[in-house]
Amino acid sequence: MNAGEVGRRAFVVGAGAAMLAGGAVSPAAAGVVAGPLPDFHPVLKAELDFPLAWGTSPVRDFRAWRRTARATVEEHLLVDREDRTPYAPEFTDRSPSDGYTRELVTLSLTRHERVRAALLTPHGRGPFPAVLLLHDHGAKFDIGKEKLVLPWYDDARLASAQTWADKYFSGRFVGDELARRGYVVLCADALGWGDRGPITYEQQQALASNFYNLGSSLAGLMAREDARAAGFLAGLKRVDARRIAAVGFSMGAYRAWQTAALTDAVTATAAVCWMTGLKEMMVPGNNTLRGQSSYYMLHPGLPRFLDFPDVASIAAPRPMLFFNGGLDPLFPADGVQVAYDKLRAVWHSRHAEERLHLKTWPDLGHVFVDRMQDEVFGWLDAVL
């Protein structure tokens, strides 16, 4: 950085500070700083006070607050809520495995497109508890559901899937582990992954902007599809509709708690490595500021009303588990603490602290390794 750039950076930061202090700022101070962020981003962050959060909202009845908060989230998804398209499932590629049966199911999660998902069913009479399993982002698009369910139907994807499982899941396929433990498991591709892709990292932002130009939303579509998938799972005769969990890692964790906020079909949630306060995440160097992947989790205008943990709290007082890695570079420790404090306060207000399990794994980063999985599995057995 040359002397001119240093001077420019100091001037820009000073301008933002002056605005926070209520001072006048010359029009020449307008610009962009590292991130990229607008030079006045401290002002915008300071204005985010999340007025609809439980405890801040003027709505004091919790059930009424849940309805109001959920309606606010739904409004900002920009995707029609009332999609009653029949699922019309088609089952194929049925294959027995160790203690469970594997099959593919193709269904309509919206009126626009048929989606292929992996469906695992334990041996026995049922009905069984079930898990809506939600895959991560990882900037790896050739596989989606295959990150979590062994692709018995596609040898070409097996090597890629195993490499991913080795990197993040201690070599395990989480869906298969859950099926062996007696859970029906449903796992589908989000748009852009696996059968519905692959896109490239650089195409995400254009895809999202094209959705906006079409009066819709990429993130909103994913949210609606996940909620519809939970409804499909609840309607299967083999499933006990009173015992359905949403489980995910990374972006899948975001999807899990978001789904629980949007539908009561989810009765418990386990979210690993995706929870933070928004303002604490919006700092120079954070991955969110790069755009691209963040568009799958961006609902324009929603932060004027609710923070991430506020949205997750719509699911209270149902059982919820949140894990984070103390060495996770994507979620600063102060952001995780802010979120955990908010979540704890909501469940405490419902006299349901025992239903909320918050934990930081100090020696781990952005992973969902075997010891974390084992604790999640045990927790699911206890709450479902």
Side-chain angles (χ1 to χ4, degrees):
M1 182 180 295
N2 60 39
E5 289 173 325
V6 171
R8 162 69 179 159
R9 183 64 49 81
F11 179 65
V12 165
V13 173
M19 291 178 73
L20 277 173
V25 181
S26 165
V32 175
V33 295
L37 287 164
D39 57 6
F40 50 86
H41 71 274
V43 180
L44 297 179
K45 285 177 68 172
E47 291 173 351
L48 293 177
D49 55 2
F50 311 116
L52 194 53
W54 175 247
T56 301
S57 169
V59 181
R60 298 300 184 185
D61 176 80
F62 190 75
R63 291 185 179 181
W65 173 80
R66 289 184 72 240
R67 291 192 297 270
T68 301
R70 179 179 285 178
T72 300
V73 175
E74 288 174 336
E75 178 184 353
H76 288 82
L77 298 184
L78 308 182
V79 175
D80 292 342
R81 176 185 180 186
E82 297 298 328
D83 191 330
R84 300 185 182 277
T85 304
Y87 292 112
E90 299 176 65
F91 301 91
T92 60
D93 294 88
R94 187 179 176 89
S95 173
S97 189
D98 180 21
Y100 59 100
T101 299
R102 307 174 292 195
E103 58 190 324
L104 293 174
V105 56
T106 302
L107 68 159
S108 297
L109 292 179
T110 67
R111 68 182 185 275
H112 303 296
E113 186 179 15
R114 301 277 286 168
V115 176
R116 192 170 74 155
L119 180 63
L120 311 180
T121 304
H123 293 164
R125 295 185 61 183
F128 303 100
V131 170
L132 176 63
L133 195 56
L134 300 156
H135 70 73
D136 60 73
H137 186 290
K140 183 173 178 59
F141 300 99
D142 62 312
I143 53 174
K145 58 187 176 298
E146 296 84 7
K147 294 178 178 183
L148 295 165
V149 174
L150 188 147
W152 76 93
Y153 48 85
D154 191 337
D155 291 340
R157 294 181 184 178
L158 181 57
S160 181
Q162 187 62 63
T163 298
W164 199 253
D166 291 343
K167 183 176 182 179
Y168 290 105
F169 309 127
S170 297
R172 292 174 167 179
F173 287 92
V174 175
D176 297 75
E177 295 291 330
L178 285 162
R180 291 188 189 99
R181 294 182 68 102
Y183 293 89
V184 173
V185 175
L186 179 70
C187 189
D189 295 321
L191 183 62
W193 281 267
D195 296 336
R196 305 177 73 188
I199 61 171
T200 66
Y201 185 85
E202 293 75 17
Q203 289 175 324
Q204 296 175 93
Q205 204 148 308
L207 178 63
S209 67
N210 289 335
F211 264 91
Y212 292 142
N213 281 328
L214 292 166
S216 189
S217 165
L218 177 61
L221 175 70
M222 186 170 72
R224 291 294 191 206
E225 288 187 347
D226 290 344
R228 283 267 293 172
F232 170 74
L233 193 55
L236 291 174
K237 291 182 179 179
R238 69 191 78 176
V239 169
D240 183 348
R242 301 166 299 175
R243 297 190 290 162
I244 297 177
V247 177
F249 160 69
S250 192
M251 183 186 77
Y254 174 97
R255 297 169 66 190
W257 56 254
Q258 177 175 255
T259 304
L262 290 173
T263 174
D264 294 336
V266 172
T267 54
T269 305
V272 179
C273 291
W274 213 115
M275 179 47 69
T276 181
L278 170 61
K279 292 197 286 187
E280 291 73 25
M281 185 174 66
M282 294 291 293
V283 294
N286 190 275
N287 187 63
T288 302
L289 274 60
R290 298 168 65 182
Q292 300 295 359
S293 62
S294 64
Y295 275 84
Y296 276 96
M297 293 154 278
L298 174 61
H299 304 305
L302 184 57
R304 293 187 176 189
F305 303 94
L306 296 162
D307 199 356
F308 297 128
D310 303 326
V311 175
S313 295
I314 296 170
R318 284 173 277 161
M320 298 192 85
L321 173 150
F322 293 89
F323 284 169
N324 82 288
L327 304 179
D328 191 336
L330 300 180
F331 301 101
D334 60 339
V336 174
Q337 189 60 53
V338 164
Y340 280 10
D341 287 346
K342 282 191 168 187
L343 293 164
R344 192 176 289 111
V346 175
W347 265 257
H348 176 76
S349 76
R350 301 297 92 211
H351 309 289
E353 298 97 323
E354 74 283 355
R355 296 183 181 179
L356 181 66
H357 186 33
L358 307 173
K359 183 172 180 176
T360 295
W361 299 72
D363 61 325
L364 296 176
H366 197 70
V367 293
F368 187 21
V369 294
D370 49 7
R371 52 193 166 114
M372 302 169 87
Q373 294 169 36
D374 290 341
E375 190 163 323
V376 168
F377 298 158
W379 181 83
L380 289 173
D381 291 345
V383 301
L384 288 180

